[in-house]
């Protein structure tokens, strides 16, 4: 039975997941600051998908995917370190920040390392109308 189009909007938990990833990012940035980083950035991603391959009119394979990842980059002046994980347990997140900091503390200075100046960052985010659910 096809799912009505309105059900997508009702079942869509994208905003709740975005808020959870935003909170997680902020906690990680706080950890980076507490560890002494002069700058830090966190990238969080979550992905889910469905792939269907059809051959000669018959479904050959169906693959469901679900992925997530956290990447932390810290700067100690102009020394940079990065680490990543897919494990969202607090001890794993703490270890990821610790490893990024350890790498940064032992790398060479790089005059080009660092985040972009705040004045160069985007401040206006237009609605690009990119959400178009469709019935499978």
């Amino acid at each position: 039975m096809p799912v009505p189009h309105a059900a997508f909007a009702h079942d869509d938990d994208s905003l709740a997941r975005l808020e959870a990833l935003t909170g997680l990012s902020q906690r990680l940035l706080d950890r980076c600051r507490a560890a002494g980083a002069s700058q830090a950035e966190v990238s969080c991603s979550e992905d889910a998908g469905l792939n269907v391959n059809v051959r000669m009119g018959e479904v050959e394979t169906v693959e469901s995917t679900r992925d997530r990842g956290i990447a932390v980059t810290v700067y100690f002046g102009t020394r940079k370190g990065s680490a990543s994980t897919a494990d969202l347990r607090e001890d794993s997140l703490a270890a990821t920040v610790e490893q990024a900091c350890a790498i940064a503390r032992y790398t060479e200075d790089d005059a080009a390392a660092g985040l972009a100046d705040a004045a160069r960052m985007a401040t206006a985010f237009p609605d690009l109308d990119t959400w178009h659910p469709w019935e499978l």
Side-chain angles (χ1 to χ4, degrees), residues 23-72:
L24 174 61
S25 297
Q26 189 58 57
R27 288 195 328 269
L28 289 169
L29 289 171
D30 293 343
R31 284 181 189 257
C32 293
R33 265 189 225 99
S38 56
Q39 295 181 319
E41 66 181 320
V42 173
S43 173
C44 298
S45 65
E46 189 176 274
D47 187 28
L50 180 66
N51 298 317
V52 178
N53 292 316
V54 177
R55 182 174 183 214
M56 299 181 71
E58 298 289 326
V59 173
E60 189 172 61
T61 60
V62 177
E63 178 183 33
S64 177
T65 60
R66 196 165 187 87
D67 190 26
R68 66 178 177 209
I70 308 294
V72 176

Side-chain angles (χ1 to χ4, degrees), residues 46-113:
E46 189 176 274
D47 187 28
L50 180 66
N51 298 317
V52 178
N53 292 316
V54 177
R55 182 174 183 214
M56 299 181 71
E58 298 289 326
V59 173
E60 189 172 61
T61 60
V62 177
E63 178 183 33
S64 177
T65 60
R66 196 165 187 87
D67 190 26
R68 66 178 177 209
I70 308 294
V72 176
T73 301
V74 295
Y75 299 89
F76 285 79
T78 58
R79 292 174 290 144
K80 173 183 172 183
S82 297
S84 62
T85 185
D87 184 349
L88 300 185
R89 291 177 300 153
E90 285 302 317
D91 59 331
S92 179
L93 296 172
T96 302
V97 170
E98 289 171 18
Q99 290 302 309
C101 291
I103 292 167
R105 286 188 181 106
Y106 293 101
T107 59
E108 292 291 324
D109 286 314
D110 179 354

